[in-house]
Amino acid sequence: MNLLDQLSGGAASEDRARCSRKGCRADAAWQLLWNNPRIHTPERRKIWLACGEHRAWLEEYLQVRSLWKETLPMGTATESDTR
């Protein structure tokens, strides 16, 4: 691996889905689908990934801001996956 790959996290070092919580390196078990109605069309879904430990924290963060839509287990196809 070269220096640029090490500094950027390199594709080779990040081959698994990881939790989106800052600083967490755990494997993701959940997909949190969300949408910001001020900037996204109603059908658009953004996805954050969550491990079991941070699922509730990330859901609450999105819910308080009225952004959360639904939570699905990893491996569940979403509409945005088919576009």
Side-chain angles (χ1 to χ4, degrees):
M1 178 181 288
N2 68 37
L3 179 58
L4 291 176
D5 285 339
Q6 290 175 351
L7 293 175
S8 68
S13 67
E14 200 58 46
D15 58 348
R16 297 190 319 229
R18 303 284 184 179
C19 180
S20 297
R21 178 76 162 106
K22 185 176 180 178
C24 183
R25 303 301 300 152
D27 290 342
W30 300 97
Q31 302 176 76
L32 283 67
L33 282 60
W34 63 278
N35 171 296
N36 184 338
R38 290 187 276 174
I39 60 174
H40 301 129
T41 58
E43 66 279 352
R44 173 97 187 260
R45 292 295 181 266
K46 302 286 284 182
I47 301 173
W48 278 358
L49 303 177
C51 65
E53 181 180 351
H54 294 119
R55 174 186 171 182
W57 189 96
L58 290 165
E59 279 181 351
E60 182 179 352
Y61 180 93
L62 293 168
Q63 288 170 348
V64 165
R65 291 157 180 81
S66 299
L67 304 175
W68 180 83
K69 298 300 179 189
E70 69 179 312
T71 299
L72 301 171
M74 284 298 291
T76 303
T78 63
E79 189 175 314
S80 61
D81 291 337
T82 60
R83 287 189 215 167

